Amino acid sequence: MAEIVILGAGVMGSAMTLPAANHGASVTLVGTHLDTEIIRSVAGNGWHPRLGITLPEAVKARDWTDLGDALAKTPDLIILGVSSAGVGWAIDRLVATLSGPTPILMITKGLATDGTTIEVLPAQVQRELHRRSGFAVPVMAVGGPCIAGELAAQRDTSVIVTGEDLSEVGRALGLLRSPYYHASVTDDIIGVEVCAAFKNFYAISVGSVGGRLERDGKAPNAALMHNLSASTFTQALKEMRELVVALGGDPATVGGLAGAGDLYVTCQAGRNGRMGRLLGLGLPYSQAKSDHMPMDTVEGANLALELGPTIERMMADGRLDAEAMPLTRAIIAAICRDEPLLLEFSRFH
């Protein structure tokens, strides 16, 4: 029987127990220091309070302090499902407990920067594990439209899995395939990861159209603002392509599940869209965050705060074409400098 360890008991990490267990694997769900109540509930009766389901019987819940025991059996796959802010913490734990080069599949989304350039998280994790443990660990990643609640309900879900070695990707998928979890593969790690992170960023702009409609009201003939919303969505994909190409990825990835697919599903609901609505109503970001979403993690806003200065530096030195990215500049200005989020229709290409 295959052994899979999932580090991170949030909604997406926990939802991944379904295809893993359905395929016959023994699954150990290891919570972080933030998942204590979830792990206690799952260990007690299988109930996951945030997903609203009972996890499969094959799932064993463990606290992060037991990660060493979970990895002692040398599992076939580790699924890394911590938040992007928790990647450093996860690397520390893995360095302390890994006994060999166990493949890692990342469902964590995000990017890293040193202030001058942008790096995808799988590359960071792979480099740090090799540097600190000596193990050349294959690190893969998942992108595409995958809402955790739908996966947990075993609704049909299509994703794209990426890694440098497609044979390793194939072995990982062999542990997860199920009638409702459909995966395609690509070696374009950069393209998939850039899309996975920036879809949250651009969803803010699409969501802002709803706030603008609330502010301005329907037209006398009851017309809405679908034209502007669609134009903003299209512009987001164009600018996402600029980023993917500049960072060394395949522009074709943007038109697939990782780009258009994931942006579409992110725009349907969620915290990024809610923040966009507030900005569309005319609130400055700082007020929208403090007054209306103080306890919410808004991934797209966090990305703007973390990477905005780097993106602007890349524009200044010509690595990115600033004129081709008016939407990116507008979002950064709104989040980083509290300027109004302006959707300048005439500047869209």
Side-chain angles (χ1 to χ4, degrees):
M1 177 184 292
E3 296 276 348
I4 296 177
V5 172
I6 300 176
L7 179 55
V11 290
M12 188 56 73
S14 299
M16 288 296 293
T17 65
L18 273 295
N22 290 166
H23 199 68
S26 174
V27 183
T28 302
L29 179 66
V30 180
T32 71
H33 53 293
L34 302 176
D35 299 329
T36 302
E37 294 303 319
I38 292 173
I39 291 299
R40 184 176 295 128
S41 178
V42 174
N45 58 11
W47 180 255
H48 194 289
R50 291 181 61 194
L51 284 175
I53 65 165
T54 299
L55 299 184
E57 291 184 6
V59 177
K60 301 181 291 292
R62 307 284 289 272
D63 183 74
W64 69 270
T65 56
D66 296 325
L67 180 62
D69 292 339
L71 297 181
K73 299 179 182 178
T74 313
D76 298 276
L77 181 67
I78 297 169
I79 296 177
L80 188 56
V82 299
S83 67
S84 58
V87 168
W89 177 90
I91 290 173
D92 290 343
R93 304 286 82 70
L94 291 170
V95 167
T97 53
L98 275 177
S99 58
T102 302
I104 294 174
L105 179 64
M106 294 187 65
I107 55 177
T108 302
K109 309 302 180 193
L111 298 165
T113 182
D114 60 3
T116 60
T117 191
I118 295 170
E119 182 180 41
V120 298
L121 289 183
Q124 181 188 50
V125 171
Q126 188 173 50
R127 184 186 65 252
E128 287 300 300
L129 289 179
H130 187 260
R131 182 180 69 84
R132 295 171 58 184
S133 72
F135 297 130
V137 177
V139 181
M140 301 159 282
V142 182
C146 183
I147 294 174
E150 293 186 20
L151 179 59
Q154 302 183 45
R155 303 288 194 192
D156 282 307
T157 298
S158 296
V159 299
I160 186 161
V161 183
T162 182
E164 293 178 348
D165 185 341
L166 293 185
S167 63
E168 286 286 356
V169 174
R171 279 191 284 273
L173 289 180
L175 302 173
L176 298 171
R177 281 200 174 93
S178 69
Y180 55 89
Y181 191 68
H182 316 285
S184 54
V185 302
T186 178
D187 61 0
D188 183 26
I189 299 176
I190 292 175
V192 169
E193 289 295 278
V194 170
C195 290
F198 273 94
K199 60 96 184 331
N200 294 312
F201 175 87
Y202 288 116
I204 292 173
S205 64
V206 179
S208 75
V209 178
R212 182 170 169 175
L213 176 62
E214 287 184 49
R215 184 191 66 195
D216 296 348
K218 293 181 181 179
N221 65 351
L224 303 178
M225 292 184 177
H226 295 313
N227 293 344
L228 178 56
S229 182
S231 178
T232 305
F233 184 95
T234 303
Q235 184 67 23
L237 293 177
K238 289 181 178 179
E239 298 191 21
M240 196 182 291
R241 191 176 298 112
E242 294 279 339
L243 286 160
V244 167
V245 170
L247 294 171
D250 183 351
T253 297
V254 179
L257 288 170
D262 208 357
L263 179 59
Y264 173 84
V265 81
T266 305
C267 290
Q268 301 309 300
R271 292 166 292 194
N272 297 289
R274 294 205 304 275
M275 175 56 71
R277 169 184 167 272
L278 294 170
L279 298 181
L281 286 169
L283 296 179
Y285 168 73
S286 60
Q287 181 184 350
K289 186 71 174 72
S290 63
D291 291 358
H292 298 275
M293 302 182 69
M295 303 304 294
D296 292 294
T297 298
V298 184
E299 296 92 340
N302 287 349
L303 184 141
L305 293 168
E306 293 165 7
L307 300 185
T310 302
I311 293 170
E312 291 181 323
R313 189 169 293 114
M314 293 175 70
M315 289 177 176
D317 65 22
R319 285 177 289 164
L320 284 170
D321 182 354
E323 289 302 311
M325 305 183 73
L327 188 57
T328 302
R329 289 188 284 117
I331 298 169
I332 291 173
I335 301 299
C336 298
R337 294 187 287 275
D338 261 357
E339 296 179 17
L341 178 52
L342 300 177
L343 303 182
E344 298 184 88
F345 210 56
S346 62
R347 291 177 177 262
F348 290 177
H349 298 285

